[in-house]
Amino acid sequence: AEPPPTSAELAAVLAVPHVVFRSTATDAEYGTVAVVPLDDLAGPRAYTGVLCDRVAATGDMVSCLRTVPGVATRYEAELYDAATWQSVQSWPLPGIPSRTRLSPDGSHVATTAFVTGHSYASTGFSTQTIVHDLGTEAAIDLEDLTFVVDGARIAPVDRNFWGVTFVDGTTFYATAQSQALGHTWLVRGDLAGGTLTTVFDGGACPSLSPDRTRLAFKTQTSDEPVHWTPSVLDLATGEVTVLSGETRSYDDQIIWLDDDTIAYGIPRQDEPGVTDVWSLDVTPDAAPQLFLDHAWSPQVVRR
């Protein structure tokens, strides 16, 4: 399918519920953040002029992670006012951008970058995840928090943390991994208490449902090749639903469209660099549906 037309005015789209995403149409706007009305996903897209590899958004703030090519490639995070798309703050990243999320109240932003390696499918990768308090400008490295596994404090040298999803300004969920110990956990983070505590063994890249009762995440269902399948954890019961209706492997941090539907990006096998966003009902046999073509790193903004 051809990319949608681009005649929409940015302010008009920002004034209604909309989707913020990175455009992957192979044209002059490739890599630019675009917006489209939530009730007219196939309609005209408006472009912000801002280039991002990863984007997160609330009604007030946008977090953008990007690669800046040059003689020496560098990486940076930048915050924008969501209404005007004017830059508010920026800082360097230590490596290739991977994940970013904003807390619902806009008080904190989390960024993950690869320090070595560039894929969660590779061995020996290392990540750095920082939570920035935008009020105090404090920067909290998740590796500095106390890591609690099954009630015991541990500090494996090869521990990695990534994929934050916020409950509020001080509480979040994330991924923790120790390849030496052979485990990848979902953890609950408490900035006030300074702890990361495991809640599930065997998942990555969590995303908290709007009703805050479930985590959608990816679970590895095969090793060679590595295959990730979306799943949902009920936080009250510990029950996991594997969404096996999605048979393709994906490497993305899920978003929730509503309490019954998730969405995530999938690369096109025959078009390098082109991705689409697919939606999936959170019932075991539901089939994925195309949500937004030529798109990546989506965020729904309803306010």
Side-chain angles (χ1 to χ4, degrees):
E2 288 297 314
T6 60
S7 59
E9 294 183 7
L10 181 61
V13 180
L14 295 177
V16 300
H18 57 276
V19 183
V20 180
F21 62 96
R22 179 181 192 261
S23 175
T24 64
T26 53
D27 56 21
E29 301 291 356
Y30 184 86
T32 301
V33 177
V35 294
V36 68
L38 187 58
D39 64 359
D40 188 17
L41 296 173
R45 299 175 174 188
Y47 293 91
T48 64
V50 173
L51 291 167
C52 301
D53 297 345
R54 286 281 183 176
V55 63
T58 66
D60 300 317
M61 191 78 66
V62 178
S63 173
C64 166
L65 309 188
R66 68 168 65 92
T67 301
V68 183
V71 175
T73 299
R74 59 187 176 86
Y75 311 98
E76 67 181 16
E78 190 157 14
L79 294 179
Y80 292 86
D81 181 287
T84 64
W85 278 86
Q86 296 301 304
S87 177
V88 175
Q89 185 180 351
S90 66
W91 59 89
L93 293 172
I96 296 169
S98 173
R99 306 276 187 256
T100 185
R101 286 291 186 267
L102 287 152
S103 63
D105 63 359
S107 65
H108 291 73
V109 61
T111 62
T112 299
F114 287 108
V115 180
T116 58
H118 61 278
S119 170
Y120 295 110
S122 65
T123 56
F125 74 85
S126 180
T127 59
Q128 183 185 62
T129 296
I130 304 290
V131 175
H132 290 262
D133 184 324
L134 300 180
T136 66
E137 298 188 1
I140 301 99
D141 189 329
L142 295 198
E143 290 194 21
D144 293 334
L145 301 182
T146 299
F147 185 26
V148 181
V149 178
D150 297 329
R153 297 185 178 190
I154 68 170
V157 175
D158 70 336
R159 64 193 184 278
N160 272 309
F161 303 102
W162 72 87
V164 167
T165 180
F166 285 97
V167 179
D168 52 37
T170 60
T171 313
F172 60 91
Y173 292 92
T175 315
Q177 184 184 78
S178 167
Q179 293 187 344
L181 296 178
H183 290 275
T184 304
W185 301 271
L186 302 182
V187 297
R188 182 179 175 92
D190 178 2
L191 293 179
T195 58
L196 291 164
T197 305
T198 56
V199 297
F200 181 75
D201 190 351
C205 295
S207 179
L208 184 66
S209 63
D211 63 10
R212 300 185 178 185
T213 64
R214 290 156 294 158
L215 289 176
F217 63 97
K218 63 179 187 179
T219 186
Q220 189 171 330
T221 50
S222 70
D223 295 329
E224 294 185 4
V226 172
H227 192 283
W228 299 101
T229 301
S231 301
V232 175
L233 169 68
D234 186 305
L235 289 167
T237 66
E239 180 182 357
V240 172
T241 302
V242 178
L243 305 179
S244 54
E246 175 55 89
T247 59
R248 300 164 296 181
S249 183
Y250 78 103
D251 184 12
D252 195 14
Q253 186 169 12
I254 288 167
I255 65 164
W256 290 80
L257 301 177
D258 53 47
D259 282 325
D260 301 309
T261 317
I262 60 172
Y264 45 87
I266 296 275
R268 294 191 185 183
Q269 295 299 313
D270 56 345
E271 297 181 67
V274 178
T275 54
D276 302 305
V277 175
W278 293 77
S279 65
L280 185 65
D281 188 272
V282 290
T283 51
D285 298 322
Q289 307 292 324
L290 182 63
F291 177 71
L292 201 59
D293 66 88
H294 296 87
W296 181 247
S297 197
Q299 291 274 274
V300 175
V301 177
R302 287 185 166 82
R303 182 168 62 83

